[in-house]
């Protein structure tokens, strides 16, 4: 009986640690008064104490910060993996010119992730709105459940990659079933996006790294080891780094697809994918706009605040996400040479948007706002409007300056409200005249 109870407790603990959004309220602090005091690293002060006062000096500080995030937080992407940029081969495996009742042309594109014909592949699902003149901007983002989950169309290939279990028969034996078609459509309002004149590109994140603690062997990472290497070094990439790398490889492909304006690709991501999105946007200046939705710890939320998820918690529950070095900070957050406001600052002067949800306390909405606020001095140094406010706005009062922000009512999720704001933000910053917007 006692043994049974032990098993049950272990099972519940495992559930709490692995189910997305699951939280242990006994462990995490949700009291603002106990969020602690801290000093954030100043975005404009170099490690050697030199203060940056001109836009011309920013690239030096930017390189320093980027290197610190690579070294201490997300891990470096090996140069062998960067060398393949734009050189991997891809093919369009299906094309449907009248998808979604004629609204869009749909393509499924397979990209080889190494230069071996039988190596791993990544499948891109791309919709481009029909009847538009010239190349269109595209929202690019990874999905959690396979490309077939973002649409109800019966002829989109079902992902055959490893997938997290689900108790509704949509994923059986860690493989998606036909029941998973359309399971994420509420997060992917294709009609709204396409009618606004934007294309949509998506990839299953598990094509790059199966999201579990033993996923490394089946991830892209071993394919880029140095000769004789058997595991990533403590300063090398983990799952977040691999997902971010995949986003850039998708952009390499979009650059070659007629009909896509690859200089107007808006990278977006929710939650753990939102963390990878910010890291990809920080590293790859080709992304025109970067959007984080509920990205929380390791995303837009300040790590130094003791509120909701913490570094120790995230490294324990998801040991495969960050660089090994990041574990040094489990109980030493104050010695971390960066904080997440600096990640947002790396995106400057490009527009960045931080979206939060009021009930998503695990992701620390106030910490996400303060992350955005902390990036503001860099945007202003570069002559941009930045966030433009200092106090956190109330619900449903979107900010659309170069650092955009909103907090909406409700839970950890991606909703139509979020998408309306993302599209509006993109319209503003891509300077799309009203005639090019809604149809
Ligand atoms: C867990 C994790 C978060 C993450 C979330 C998600 O809750 O602790 O850091 O953002 O899953 O990806 O949904």
């Amino acid at each position: 009986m006692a043994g049974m109870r032990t098993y049950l407790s272990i099972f519940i603990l495992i559930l709490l640690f692995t189910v997305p959004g699951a939280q242990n309220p006994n462990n995490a602090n949700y009291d603002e008064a106990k969020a602690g005091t801290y000093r954030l690293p100043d975005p404009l002060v170099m490690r050697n104490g030199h203060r940056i006062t001109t836009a011309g000096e920013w690239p030096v500080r930017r390189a320093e910060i980027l290197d610190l995030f690579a070294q201490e937080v997300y891990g470096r992407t090996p140069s062998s993996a960067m060398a393949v940029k734009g050189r991997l081969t891809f093919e369009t495996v299906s094309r449907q010119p009248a998808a979604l009742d004629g609204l869009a042309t749909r393509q499924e594109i397979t990209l080889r992730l190494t230069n071996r014909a039988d190596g791993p592949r990544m499948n891109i699902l791309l919709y481009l709105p029909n009847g538009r003149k010239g190349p269109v901007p595209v929202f690019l983002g990874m999905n959690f459940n396979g490309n077939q989950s973002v649409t109800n169309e019966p002829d989109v290939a079902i992902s055959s990659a490893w997938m997290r279990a689900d108790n509704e028969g949509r994923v059986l034996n860690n493989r998606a079933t036909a029941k998973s078609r359309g399971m994420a459509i509420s997060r992917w309002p294709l009609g709204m996006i396409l009618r606004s004149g934007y294309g949509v590109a998506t990839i299953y994140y598990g094509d790059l790294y199966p999201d579990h603690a033993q996923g490394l062997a089946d991830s892209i990472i071993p394919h880029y080891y140095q000769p004789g290497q058997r595991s990533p070094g403590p300063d090398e990439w983990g799952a977040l780094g691999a997902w971010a790398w995949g986003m850039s490889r998708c952009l390499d492909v979009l650059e070659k697809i007629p009909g896509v304006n690859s200089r107007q690709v808006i990278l977006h991501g929710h939650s753990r994918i939102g963390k990878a999105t910010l890291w990809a946007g920080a590293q790859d200046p080709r992304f025109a706009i970067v959007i984080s939705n509920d990205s929380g710890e390791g995303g837009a939320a300040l790590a130094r605040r003791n509120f909701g998820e913490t570094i120790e918690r995230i490294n324990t529950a998801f040991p495969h996400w960050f660089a090994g070095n990041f574990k040094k900070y489990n109980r030493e957050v104050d010695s971390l040479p960066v904080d997440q406001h600096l990640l947002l600052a790396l995106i400057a002067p490009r527009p960045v948007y931080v979206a939060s949800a009021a009930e998503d306390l695990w992701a620390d909405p106030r910490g996400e706002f303060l992350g955005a606020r902390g990036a503001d001095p860099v945007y202003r140094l570069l002559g941009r409007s930045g966030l433009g406010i200092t106090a956190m706005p109330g619900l449903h009062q979107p900010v659309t300056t170069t650092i955009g922000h909103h907090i909406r009512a409700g839970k950890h999720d991606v909703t139509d409200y979020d998408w309306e704001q993302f599209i509006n933000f993109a319209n503003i910053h891509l300077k799309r005249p009203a005639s090019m917007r809604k149809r």
Side-chain angles (χ1 to χ4, degrees):
M1 200 47 197
M4 221 8 217
R5 268 207 299 274
T6 317
Y7 277 128
L8 200 64
S9 332
I10 293 174
F11 178 62
I12 289 172
L13 265 176
I14 292 175
L15 265 185
L16 279 169
F17 274 121
T18 51
V19 173
Q23 354 181 325
N24 176 358
N26 300 325
N27 230 356
N29 173 50
Y30 292 117
D31 180 353
E32 188 56 39
K34 295 187 186 142
T37 51
Y38 52 84
R39 264 188 68 174
L40 289 181
D42 189 324
L44 300 180
V45 176
M46 301 278 304
R47 296 272 278 165
N48 66 10
H50 174 72
R51 177 169 283 278
I52 302 293
T53 54
T54 64
E57 287 176 286
W58 170 245
V60 185
R61 172 65 172 144
R62 185 184 186 281
E64 181 177 71
I65 297 172
L66 189 62
D67 198 56
L68 287 169
F69 273 107
Q71 164 84 26
E72 304 295 322
V73 183
Y74 303 104
R76 297 179 193 287
T77 306
S79 51
S80 52
M82 290 322 288
V84 299
K85 177 179 168 320
R87 295 173 54 187
L88 300 174
T89 55
F90 66 89
E91 62 208 286
T92 299
V93 293
S94 85
R95 193 181 159 85
Q96 170 49 266
L100 302 168
D101 296 327
L103 191 59
T105 295
R106 188 188 71 217
Q107 300 175 57
E108 289 171 286
I109 301 165
T110 296
L111 172 72
R112 289 188 183 84
L113 294 171
T114 65
N115 50 20
R116 287 179 43 171
D118 61 347
R121 291 153 182 241
M122 165 170 115
N123 300 307
I124 303 169
L125 175 65
L126 173 67
Y127 293 90
L128 296 177
N130 284 334
R132 296 271 165 177
K133 273 203 211 96
V136 295
V138 171
F139 277 97
L140 160 60
M142 285 187 168
N143 63 70
F144 284 98
N145 304 99
N147 293 344
Q148 79 288 351
S149 68
V150 312
T151 173
N152 280 326
E153 296 161 290
D155 49 347
V156 167
I158 296 182
S159 171
S160 58
W162 182 94
M163 212 164 281
R164 255 181 298 158
D166 131 294
N167 48 18
E168 293 175 48
R170 300 176 301 196
V171 180
L172 285 179
N173 300 321
N174 295 114
R175 291 292 180 277
T177 70
K179 280 192 182 162
S180 66
R181 284 195 188 284
M183 68 184 274
I185 49 170
S186 69
R187 289 181 173 184
W188 295 86
L190 298 178
M192 182 203 301
I193 308 169
L194 291 160
R195 277 190 208 95
S196 304
Y198 292 85
V200 175
T202 188
I203 312 147
Y204 172 52
Y205 80 142
D207 284 358
L208 282 300
Y209 197 121
D211 190 6
H212 61 91
Q214 276 74 47
L216 174 66
D218 295 321
S219 77
I220 188 66
I221 290 179
H223 294 273
Y224 287 99
Y225 282 162
Q226 298 300 317
Q229 187 174 1
R230 305 197 82 93
S231 60
D235 64 342
E236 288 189 318
W237 54 347
L240 290 169
W243 298 328
W245 182 83
M247 295 173 193
S248 285
R249 300 296 69 80
C250 184
L251 181 50
D252 297 346
V253 173
L254 293 180
E255 283 180 334
K256 295 179 187 150
I257 302 287
V260 170
N261 182 347
S262 59
R263 295 164 69 128
Q264 296 194 333
V265 172
I266 307 134
L267 187 64
H268 65 97
H270 171 62
S271 208
R272 64 194 72 186
I273 295 177
K275 306 177 208 297
T277 292
L278 291 174
W279 178 227
Q283 295 175 93
D284 191 337
R286 294 174 300 163
F287 291 112
I289 298 179
V290 183
I291 298 174
S292 136
N293 192 75
D294 303 353
S295 60
E297 187 74 23
L302 293 179
R304 278 173 174 72
R305 273 170 57 84
N306 174 27
F307 195 100
E309 192 169 25
T310 59
I311 293 186
E312 184 172 22
R313 226 0 237 282
I314 205 166
N315 275 332
T316 311
F318 307 101
H320 56 295
W321 282 2
F322 296 86
N325 276 344
F326 195 46
K327 297 193 172 64
K328 293 190 297 195
Y329 304 98
N330 279 355
R331 292 180 181 207
E332 307 266 336
V333 59
D334 287 325
S335 62
L336 184 66
V338 289
D339 208 317
Q340 299 306 112
H341 63 308
L342 298 182
L343 182 66
L344 299 172
L346 289 175
I347 296 165
R350 292 165 293 148
V352 64
Y353 196 94
V354 175
S356 304
E359 288 175 37
D360 186 18
L361 296 179
W362 184 238
D364 186 12
R366 178 167 294 277
E368 293 178 323
F369 171 78
L370 293 173
R373 192 173 87 178
D376 186 67
V378 175
Y379 278 82
R380 281 189 287 116
L381 181 76
L382 301 181
R384 297 300 197 279
S385 52
L387 183 65
I389 50 168
T390 51
M392 187 169 172
L395 296 184
H396 310 127
Q397 293 173 31
V399 173
T400 58
T401 42
T402 334
I403 305 177
H405 171 267
H406 74 245
I407 175 161
R408 61 158 170 80
K411 294 192 173 37
H412 187 71
D413 199 359
V414 193
T415 67
D416 280 4
Y417 177 85
D418 297 315
W419 273 106
E420 282 156 18
Q421 311 322 312
F422 302 158
I423 292 169
N424 185 41
F425 188 70
N427 283 340
I428 292 171
H429 292 282
L430 298 178
K431 301 191 173 59
R432 288 171 62 74
S435 60
M436 290 174 77
R437 297 181 188 179
K438 264 224 155 48
R439 284 275 168 92

